[in-house]
mmCIF file of all heavy atoms in Angstrom:
data_model
loop_
_atom_site.group_PDB
_atom_site.id
_atom_site.type_symbol
_atom_site.label_atom_id
_atom_site.label_comp_id
_atom_site.label_asym_id
_atom_site.label_seq_id
_atom_site.Cartn_x
_atom_site.Cartn_y
_atom_site.Cartn_z
ATOM 1 N N LEU A 19 20.107 -52.572 25.711
ATOM 2 C CA LEU A 19 21.595 -52.271 25.552
ATOM 3 C C LEU A 19 22.104 -51.086 26.208
ATOM 4 O O LEU A 19 23.274 -51.087 26.613
ATOM 5 C CB LEU A 19 21.894 -52.192 24.022
ATOM 6 C CG LEU A 19 21.385 -53.345 23.168
ATOM 7 C CD1 LEU A 19 21.841 -53.043 21.728
ATOM 8 C CD2 LEU A 19 22.128 -54.569 23.631
ATOM 9 N N THR A 20 21.330 -50.109 26.458
ATOM 10 C CA THR A 20 21.715 -48.810 27.085
ATOM 11 C C THR A 20 22.190 -49.013 28.600
ATOM 12 O O THR A 20 22.812 -48.154 29.172
ATOM 13 C CB THR A 20 20.629 -47.724 27.026
ATOM 14 O OG1 THR A 20 19.421 -48.190 27.526
ATOM 15 C CG2 THR A 20 20.519 -47.233 25.526
ATOM 16 N N GLY A 21 21.909 -50.127 29.134
ATOM 17 C CA GLY A 21 22.181 -50.453 30.590
ATOM 18 C C GLY A 21 23.353 -51.358 30.822
ATOM 19 O O GLY A 21 23.603 -51.736 31.930
ATOM 20 N N LEU A 22 23.993 -51.678 29.726
ATOM 21 C CA LEU A 22 25.029 -52.701 29.770
ATOM 22 C C LEU A 22 26.440 -52.129 29.844
ATOM 23 O O LEU A 22 26.630 -51.056 29.242
ATOM 24 C CB LEU A 22 25.020 -53.718 28.592
ATOM 25 C CG LEU A 22 23.699 -54.438 28.353
ATOM 26 C CD1 LEU A 22 23.784 -55.295 27.119
ATOM 27 C CD2 LEU A 22 23.304 -55.172 29.639
ATOM 28 N N VAL A 23 27.394 -52.768 30.481
ATOM 29 C CA VAL A 23 28.717 -52.323 30.574
ATOM 30 C C VAL A 23 29.457 -52.716 29.143
ATOM 31 O O VAL A 23 28.916 -53.586 28.463
ATOM 32 C CB VAL A 23 29.543 -52.920 31.730
ATOM 33 C CG1 VAL A 23 28.902 -52.467 33.082
ATOM 34 C CG2 VAL A 23 29.582 -54.414 31.659
ATOM 35 N N PRO A 24 30.596 -52.158 28.869
ATOM 36 C CA PRO A 24 31.168 -52.392 27.547
ATOM 37 C C PRO A 24 31.332 -53.881 27.202
ATOM 38 O O PRO A 24 30.943 -54.317 26.020
ATOM 39 C CB PRO A 24 32.494 -51.729 27.668
ATOM 40 C CG PRO A 24 32.290 -50.544 28.582
ATOM 41 C CD PRO A 24 31.330 -51.103 29.572
ATOM 42 N N GLY A 25 31.771 -54.757 28.132
ATOM 43 C CA GLY A 25 31.959 -56.137 27.796
ATOM 44 C C GLY A 25 30.667 -56.815 27.478
ATOM 45 O O GLY A 25 30.516 -57.690 26.627
ATOM 46 N N GLN A 26 29.653 -56.537 28.329
ATOM 47 C CA GLN A 26 28.275 -57.098 27.975
ATOM 48 C C GLN A 26 27.716 -56.644 26.718
ATOM 49 O O GLN A 26 27.110 -57.388 25.993
ATOM 50 C CB GLN A 26 27.360 -56.763 29.167
ATOM 51 C CG GLN A 26 27.661 -57.327 30.473
ATOM 52 C CD GLN A 26 26.754 -56.769 31.555
ATOM 53 O OE1 GLN A 26 26.491 -55.598 31.769
ATOM 54 N NE2 GLN A 26 26.045 -57.790 32.325
ATOM 55 N N LEU A 27 27.958 -55.358 26.414
ATOM 56 C CA LEU A 27 27.346 -54.775 25.119
ATOM 57 C C LEU A 27 28.066 -55.548 23.971
ATOM 58 O O LEU A 27 27.473 -55.913 23.043
ATOM 59 C CB LEU A 27 27.766 -53.323 25.173
ATOM 60 C CG LEU A 27 27.131 -52.432 24.053
ATOM 61 C CD1 LEU A 27 25.602 -52.428 24.143
ATOM 62 C CD2 LEU A 27 27.620 -51.037 24.098
ATOM 63 N N ARG A 28 29.395 -55.686 24.046
ATOM 64 C CA ARG A 28 30.085 -56.386 22.871
ATOM 65 C C ARG A 28 29.605 -57.792 22.800
ATOM 66 O O ARG A 28 29.383 -58.286 21.583
ATOM 67 C CB ARG A 28 31.614 -56.269 23.191
ATOM 68 C CG ARG A 28 32.452 -56.730 22.020
ATOM 69 C CD ARG A 28 33.934 -56.513 22.304
ATOM 70 N NE ARG A 28 34.128 -54.929 22.606
ATOM 71 C CZ ARG A 28 34.493 -54.572 23.815
ATOM 72 N NH1 ARG A 28 34.604 -55.416 24.819
ATOM 73 N NH2 ARG A 28 34.618 -53.212 24.038
ATOM 74 N N HIS A 29 29.388 -58.525 23.901
ATOM 75 C CA HIS A 29 28.898 -59.814 23.862
ATOM 76 C C HIS A 29 27.618 -59.945 23.130
ATOM 77 O O HIS A 29 27.285 -60.844 22.295
ATOM 78 C CB HIS A 29 28.855 -60.436 25.306
ATOM 79 C CG HIS A 29 28.151 -61.705 25.387
ATOM 80 N ND1 HIS A 29 28.744 -62.846 24.725
ATOM 81 C CD2 HIS A 29 27.098 -62.134 26.092
ATOM 82 C CE1 HIS A 29 27.994 -63.912 25.045
ATOM 83 N NE2 HIS A 29 26.988 -63.463 25.798
ATOM 84 N N GLU A 30 26.553 -59.081 23.623
ATOM 85 C CA GLU A 30 25.239 -59.198 23.120
ATOM 86 C C GLU A 30 25.162 -58.835 21.644
ATOM 87 O O GLU A 30 24.374 -59.387 20.881
ATOM 88 C CB GLU A 30 24.385 -58.175 23.787
ATOM 89 C CG GLU A 30 24.008 -58.696 25.211
ATOM 90 C CD GLU A 30 23.028 -59.913 25.101
ATOM 91 O OE1 GLU A 30 22.165 -59.876 24.191
ATOM 92 O OE2 GLU A 30 23.031 -60.710 26.039
ATOM 93 N N ILE A 31 26.016 -57.949 21.107
ATOM 94 C CA ILE A 31 25.932 -57.476 19.742
ATOM 95 C C ILE A 31 26.936 -58.338 18.828
ATOM 96 O O ILE A 31 26.429 -58.894 17.846
ATOM 97 C CB ILE A 31 26.257 -55.961 19.612
ATOM 98 C CG1 ILE A 31 25.202 -55.102 20.411
ATOM 99 C CG2 ILE A 31 26.267 -55.578 18.224
ATOM 100 C CD1 ILE A 31 25.558 -53.693 20.556
ATOM 101 N N CYS A 32 28.154 -58.284 19.226
ATOM 102 C CA CYS A 32 29.177 -58.891 18.346
ATOM 103 C C CYS A 32 29.047 -60.467 18.296
ATOM 104 O O CYS A 32 29.144 -61.114 17.271
ATOM 105 C CB CYS A 32 30.549 -58.494 18.681
ATOM 106 S SG CYS A 32 30.926 -56.768 18.432
ATOM 107 N N ASP A 33 28.937 -61.076 19.492
ATOM 108 C CA ASP A 33 28.898 -62.599 19.623
ATOM 109 C C ASP A 33 27.581 -63.049 18.997
ATOM 110 O O ASP A 33 27.497 -64.154 18.421
ATOM 111 C CB ASP A 33 28.968 -63.064 21.021
ATOM 112 C CG ASP A 33 30.372 -62.863 21.553
ATOM 113 O OD1 ASP A 33 31.295 -62.459 20.840
ATOM 114 O OD2 ASP A 33 30.597 -62.924 22.847
ATOM 115 N N ASP A 34 26.507 -62.251 19.025
ATOM 116 C CA ASP A 34 25.225 -62.652 18.402
ATOM 117 C C ASP A 34 25.490 -62.657 16.884
ATOM 118 O O ASP A 34 25.048 -63.599 16.304
ATOM 119 C CB ASP A 34 24.162 -61.539 18.675
ATOM 120 C CG ASP A 34 22.843 -61.713 18.092
ATOM 121 O OD1 ASP A 34 22.230 -62.857 18.228
ATOM 122 O OD2 ASP A 34 22.419 -60.835 17.313
ATOM 123 N N ARG A 35 26.114 -61.679 16.339
ATOM 124 C CA ARG A 35 26.298 -61.630 14.895
ATOM 125 C C ARG A 35 27.256 -62.807 14.459
ATOM 126 O O ARG A 35 26.978 -63.522 13.429
ATOM 127 C CB ARG A 35 26.982 -60.301 14.379
ATOM 128 C CG ARG A 35 27.122 -60.239 12.948
ATOM 129 C CD ARG A 35 27.520 -58.776 12.499
ATOM 130 N NE ARG A 35 27.365 -58.847 10.950
ATOM 131 C CZ ARG A 35 28.335 -58.500 10.183
ATOM 132 N NH1 ARG A 35 29.537 -58.231 10.588
ATOM 133 N NH2 ARG A 35 28.047 -58.499 8.855
ATOM 134 N N THR A 36 28.292 -63.148 15.256
ATOM 135 C CA THR A 36 29.204 -64.180 14.949
ATOM 136 C C THR A 36 28.417 -65.516 14.927
ATOM 137 O O THR A 36 28.529 -66.379 14.016
ATOM 138 C CB THR A 36 30.306 -64.320 15.873
ATOM 139 O OG1 THR A 36 31.158 -63.201 15.827
ATOM 140 C CG2 THR A 36 31.199 -65.552 15.726
ATOM 141 N N SER A 37 27.538 -65.772 15.879
ATOM 142 C CA SER A 37 26.712 -66.942 15.962
ATOM 143 C C SER A 37 25.832 -66.998 14.704
ATOM 144 O O SER A 37 25.549 -68.218 14.193
ATOM 145 C CB SER A 37 25.741 -66.944 17.189
ATOM 146 O OG SER A 37 26.450 -66.979 18.371
ATOM 147 N N LEU A 38 25.304 -66.101 14.248
ATOM 148 C CA LEU A 38 24.327 -65.976 13.038
ATOM 149 C C LEU A 38 25.288 -66.277 11.852
ATOM 150 O O LEU A 38 24.817 -67.136 10.929
ATOM 151 C CB LEU A 38 23.631 -64.640 12.963
ATOM 152 C CG LEU A 38 22.677 -64.413 14.000
ATOM 153 C CD1 LEU A 38 22.213 -62.962 13.996
ATOM 154 C CD2 LEU A 38 21.436 -65.400 13.932
ATOM 155 N N LEU A 39 26.448 -65.654 11.694
ATOM 156 C CA LEU A 39 27.325 -65.877 10.552
ATOM 157 C C LEU A 39 27.761 -67.313 10.586
ATOM 158 O O LEU A 39 27.909 -67.895 9.452
ATOM 159 C CB LEU A 39 28.442 -64.928 10.571
ATOM 160 C CG LEU A 39 28.149 -63.375 10.486
ATOM 161 C CD1 LEU A 39 29.404 -62.657 10.609
ATOM 162 C CD2 LEU A 39 27.635 -63.150 8.966
ATOM 163 N N ASP A 40 28.062 -67.790 11.672
ATOM 164 C CA ASP A 40 28.570 -69.241 11.773
ATOM 165 C C ASP A 40 27.486 -70.199 11.427
ATOM 166 O O ASP A 40 27.954 -71.458 11.117
ATOM 167 C CB ASP A 40 29.077 -69.572 13.146
ATOM 168 C CG ASP A 40 30.384 -69.018 13.451
ATOM 169 O OD1 ASP A 40 31.089 -68.392 12.472
ATOM 170 O OD2 ASP A 40 30.971 -68.961 14.622
ATOM 171 N N GLN A 41 26.288 -69.857 11.324
ATOM 172 C CA GLN A 41 25.229 -70.703 10.759
ATOM 173 C C GLN A 41 24.891 -70.539 9.357
ATOM 174 O O GLN A 41 23.857 -71.066 8.775
ATOM 175 C CB GLN A 41 23.892 -70.532 11.604
ATOM 176 C CG GLN A 41 24.004 -70.979 13.104
ATOM 177 C CD GLN A 41 24.135 -72.431 13.188
ATOM 178 O OE1 GLN A 41 23.582 -73.187 12.326
ATOM 179 N NE2 GLN A 41 24.769 -72.919 14.221
ATOM 180 N N GLY A 42 25.725 -69.706 8.669
ATOM 181 C CA GLY A 42 25.555 -69.491 7.203
ATOM 182 C C GLY A 42 24.508 -68.412 6.880
ATOM 183 O O GLY A 42 23.899 -68.433 5.816
ATOM 184 N N LEU A 43 24.200 -67.601 7.848
ATOM 185 C CA LEU A 43 23.183 -66.499 7.621
ATOM 186 C C LEU A 43 23.896 -65.219 7.295
ATOM 187 O O LEU A 43 24.819 -64.795 7.997
ATOM 188 C CB LEU A 43 22.256 -66.408 8.971
ATOM 189 C CG LEU A 43 21.665 -67.705 9.363
ATOM 190 C CD1 LEU A 43 21.108 -67.565 10.753
ATOM 191 C CD2 LEU A 43 20.522 -68.001 8.258
ATOM 192 N N GLU A 44 23.466 -64.634 6.244
ATOM 193 C CA GLU A 44 23.987 -63.372 5.655
ATOM 194 C C GLU A 44 23.521 -62.190 6.425
ATOM 195 O O GLU A 44 22.526 -61.568 5.974
ATOM 196 C CB GLU A 44 23.693 -63.371 4.222
ATOM 197 C CG GLU A 44 24.457 -62.346 3.397
ATOM 198 C CD GLU A 44 24.079 -62.285 1.968
ATOM 199 O OE1 GLU A 44 23.497 -63.357 1.470
ATOM 200 O OE2 GLU A 44 24.549 -61.461 1.264
ATOM 201 N N VAL A 45 24.177 -61.823 7.522
ATOM 202 C CA VAL A 45 23.578 -60.841 8.486
ATOM 203 C C VAL A 45 24.301 -59.442 8.372
ATOM 204 O O VAL A 45 25.463 -59.312 8.679
ATOM 205 C CB VAL A 45 23.725 -61.339 9.954
ATOM 206 C CG1 VAL A 45 23.171 -60.333 10.950
ATOM 207 C CG2 VAL A 45 23.108 -62.749 10.115
#
């Protein structure tokens, strides 16, 4: 994560969490 630009960082972290939440996982 320390090598990513802001947009990539947000995608890797936030979109990952959204994908997990959308599957009914309490993350």
Side-chain angles (χ1 to χ4, degrees):
L19 299 180
T20 53
L22 301 182
V23 300
Q26 292 176 310
L27 190 63
R28 190 171 305 110
H29 172 60
E30 282 292 323
I31 298 173
C32 296
D33 291 349
D34 177 62
R35 187 172 192 239
T36 297
S37 295
L38 296 169
L39 293 175
D40 284 350
Q41 292 293 329
L43 300 170
E44 190 176 351
V45 182

